[in-house]
Amino acid sequence: MSNSLLKEERLKNFINGEWVDSTSGNAAPVINPANQLVLTNVPLSLAEDVGRAVQAAKAAQKQWALIPAPQRAEVLYRVGYLMKERKEELSKLLTMENGKVLEEARGEVQEGIDMAFYMAGEGRRLFGQTTPSELKDKFAMSVRAPVGVVGIITPWNFPIAIATWKSFPAIVAGNAVVWKPATETPIMAYELAKIFEEAGLPKGVLNVVFGSGAIVGEAMVEQDDIRVISFTGSNEVGRIIAAKCGAKLKKVSLEMGGKNAVIVMEDADLELAVEGILWSAFGTSGQRCTACSRVIVHEDVKDALEERLLAEMAKLTIGDGLDESVKVGPIINQAGLEKINKYMEIGKKEGATLLAGGYVMKEGEFANGWYFAPTLFTDVTPQMRIAQEEIFGPVVSLIPVKSLEEAIEVNNHVEFGLSSSIFTTNANNVFTAARDLDTGIVYVNAGTTGAEIHLPFGGTKGTGNGHRDSGVAALDVFTEWKAVYVDYSGKLQRAQIDVE
Ligand code: UN1
């Protein structure tokens, strides 16, 4: 084992409160993208393992749902405090398995801590409505009921934060969870399950089954006892899940990426805009659903913006995220690196001008990791593939425009609708943009990343299917509305008929 933080040579599934091997006996290495050292091994489970997890979850959920929500929430408070105590250790492990720089890893763990306390608070709210009945001596209200067993499928780019967005509301609302984490980043799942165990979550309420989407994910979708699937990942996989869940009338919540833009108007504070672009484009090496991959710039400030961006990009330090001086870490794996690199040729062939970066970094200290140089294309037109498709890497395309109207049109002219941003000092521009940008998240004078956990996270068009993660909106995914009528008149009162 290459580090002392993680002692297990091979992780185990967590089913019914027990740590168990997968029935397949197979495993895959978990590789640190900064240096390609093996951190541990992740089991590759089978449908049978999912079946066991679902049975455990089903049995546990019946009891869990009967515990008052404020008491269920106490487990989440304990989870939050344990995460806080272990923040530094968790952050280091996160950097090792995912590659993001330590400062960002700390931010991600904090996002999980925030979610724990926020959702624990929901245990004393979980508000429904009370409303007058149209009939005398009759009471009407709506309450949130748990859906039962929920399936969550989480990505490698935010292996702990996104898991908390989904599992915490599900658990506080009285559901039991079957969770398939990404095989690239299972250590965060393993650590979070250990924390839940320590926090006293009853066995079977949270079950972790490691393995591939094709086998474990597929088995979860096929299981009739899983009533909701909440998925974050690619648009391609999301569509398959949605179709299969549709055929089974299973509720499905999808979050599938973005092609997010920063708009820079001629009246913008350029220094601030450059800071916002750098942080949201090259932070996490561009591997965020919310990453900025387009800059839509007013032609009057295009040259000035390019110049400042290039100057600041030259200062970015690249390397192993455990080194506190590093600003941009590695790419998750070889496949990710190849995908990004493919877009370099595509962009050049389409006629875009490459101003910086554009290559895989292989020399010296980069030889054993997966690194891509921060990249800037300019004179990009809105219909080019580099301006349309999600690259998921440190690559930005500059698109010049003549007006706010054109900027908004260009922003909206993509398949996705997750996040957008505008830098401007004009109040009319602010409100016009906030109204007309067709994305689930809009930032003013900030980059495209940085969502806070008590607001809804998700987007329009190809980004999602109308649901949201985090915020109160997450409760809508993991609860059913139940309308309850109590007639205390002592006689049969017919709605719509016995109304005086
Ligand atoms: C993601 O990229 O899938 O707003 C999640 C942000 C983070 C979450 C990103 N708080 O960038």
Side-chain angles (χ1 to χ4, degrees), residues 80 234 265 419:
S234 74
M265 294 306 295
S419 174

Side-chain angles (χ1 to χ4, degrees), residues 111 157-158 162 165 232 255 288-290 443 449-451 457:
E111 199 163 342
N157 72 329
F158 274 80
I162 292 180
W165 292 358
T232 297
E255 200 279 285
R288 289 190 189 219
C289 304
T290 51
Y443 291 97
T449 62
F457 183 96

Side-chain angles (χ1 to χ4, degrees), residues 361-373:
M361 303 173 79
K362 291 189 197 128
E363 307 299 323
E365 58 176 308
F366 303 115
N368 295 322
W370 292 298
Y371 293 95
F372 201 86

Side-chain angles (χ1 to χ4, degrees), residues 262-265 267-270 272-273 275-277 420-427 429-430 442-449:
V262 166
I263 296 172
V264 182
M265 294 306 295
D267 53 47
D269 173 341
L270 282 193
L272 183 64
E275 263 188 84
I277 293 165
S420 56
S421 126
I422 182 166
F423 283 87
T424 180
T425 49
N426 176 323
N429 288 347
V430 169
V442 174
Y443 291 97
V444 176
N445 293 329
T448 56
T449 62

Side-chain angles (χ1 to χ4, degrees), residues 26-39:
N26 294 333
V30 180
I31 297 171
N32 182 337
N35 51 28
Q36 295 187 18
L37 292 176
V38 175
L39 296 166

Side-chain angles (χ1 to χ4, degrees), residues 1-117:
M1 196 54 37
S2 56
N3 68 81
S4 58
L5 287 168
L6 188 84
K7 295 178 188 70
E8 283 75 0
E9 292 281 342
R10 180 175 174 142
L11 304 179
K12 288 184 171 167
N13 288 334
F14 186 58
I15 298 177
N16 207 20
E18 308 283 333
W19 295 95
V20 290
D21 284 321
S22 95
T23 49
S24 77
N26 294 333
V30 180
I31 297 171
N32 182 337
N35 51 28
Q36 295 187 18
L37 292 176
V38 175
L39 296 166
T40 184
N41 289 280
V42 58
L44 297 173
S45 309
L46 299 176
E48 260 174 87
D49 302 302
V50 175
R52 284 181 194 173
V54 172
Q55 285 322 305
K58 207 175 157 186
Q61 193 267 331
K62 287 197 174 66
Q63 300 308 313
W64 183 241
L66 296 177
I67 295 173
Q71 284 182 40
R72 294 197 296 255
E74 283 187 21
V75 176
L76 281 189
Y77 280 119
R78 287 197 289 274
V79 165
Y81 282 115
L82 286 168
M83 288 177 77
K84 212 168 143 91
E85 262 171 40
R86 293 187 202 159
K87 181 173 170 183
E88 196 55 21
E89 183 191 342
L90 288 170
S91 306
K92 286 194 172 133
L93 286 167
L94 173 51
T95 292
M96 285 194 264
E97 70 170 350
N98 165 282
K100 67 177 64 180
V101 300
L102 197 49
E103 188 183 25
E104 290 182 25
R106 291 189 188 113
E108 180 180 344
V109 174
Q110 187 58 46
E111 199 163 342
I113 297 167
D114 295 343
M115 193 68 188
F117 294 131

